[in-house]
Amino acid sequence: MLDVSGSMRTRDIDGQSRMTAAKQAFNEVLDSVPEQVQLGIRTLGADYPGDDRKVGCKDTKQLYPVGPLDRTEAKTAVATLAPTGWTPIGPALLGAADDLDGGDSTRRIVLISDGEDTCGPLDPCEVARDIAARGIHLVIDTLGLVPNAKIRKQLTCIAEATGGTYTAVQHTDQLSGRVKQLVDRAAEPVVTPVATEGAGSCTDAPQLKPGLYTDREKFAEHRWYRVDVLPGQELRASVSVFADRAVNNDYGMLLRAVTVHGREIVRGSESGTGRTDAISSGLRYPKPDEDTDGDVKPAAETVCLQVSNSFSAPASVKTAPGMPVELTVDVVDAPDAAADPAAFGLGRGWWLLGVLVLTGLIAGLLTGWISRWRIAVWRTNR
């Protein structure tokens, strides 16, 4: 997705205009796009040069449709571009999301821009959050061509809302290298998360099978999910909450496994101080095997997973949609605790702790005995 607004005429990238640098980077990337990647190009600010804000904020179009790449055709389309108009980043993001609609493959928007959105009140950061809330696992990466704090803040917010990255680039080789890297990532096979919606209680919680799930959670909210675990199996779950907006420092999250009757089985927790924009935790629960009659099928236990957070934010920060949550659930054959006591909990760690304590005790006794012996010898010599 390429910004073709009037400011792209500025000549401050290796002695050439930003537009020329972007075209050069595009050509280099198009030459090396992996065969399995389908690529499209969308522009913003490429056609309307006037002062009518209403018209300028609709100036976004699909320059090259998403699909198998014809390198010559794509390069020809890029060559026709000339810096022209406004910077409608929000509307262009919505258009790009529609361009990538459908299918289960990895989807990625790479936004190259040199300016701040000029088409408020449609905040592009809010647009990115709404796109993330669709649960289609569409990642937006942003590249800023101007080292401006305000522009950096907006482009960073857009990227972080979808789990993407922001990169500042000031040289042509940096731009082409970074775009190529991001396009190559689209060729990497990934597990597409399934959108789900946790409930306010275990009774109403969705039943989850092993897999990767996405959800949204508001500040200080509790969300519940249910997983069935057979005797002899082990439940492994992990969760990450992403702070995709400004939050107060000092926060935490909790992942608990609870029985349907409310008894806690095991928990995992983590705290943060604002140094990162994601916080994660996990847990493991091995359900002991049961001796049953050969004709009796062992009954599964329903385990309730509770995801909670203690995030807070200034009053000016919107709480909707909730923050992105990524939940991984796996149920595997439980390890043999007798054969591998370290498979769950501390296991062999207790043996190590005992050895260390015993070693420290013996070392202390020896040190004390040697010290007393040296004192006795010294007194005898006197």
Side-chain angles (χ1 to χ4, degrees), residues 119-166:
C119 291
L122 186 62
D123 184 352
C125 191
E126 292 297 324
V127 170
R129 289 174 185 152
D130 290 341
I131 290 173
R134 297 181 188 180
I136 59 176
H137 197 54
L138 194 160
V139 176
I140 303 173
D141 297 293
T142 58
L143 286 82
L145 304 182
V146 177
N148 176 287
K150 197 171 183 181
I151 295 171
R152 181 178 66 250
K153 182 179 179 181
Q154 184 175 83
L155 293 180
T156 299
C157 182
I158 292 170
E160 290 181 348
T162 61
T165 59
Y166 163 76

Side-chain angles (χ1 to χ4, degrees), residues 5-16:
S5 59
S7 58
M8 289 289 284
R9 299 189 193 98
T10 307
R11 303 178 64 88
D12 59 359
I13 297 185
D14 299 334
Q16 59 187 350

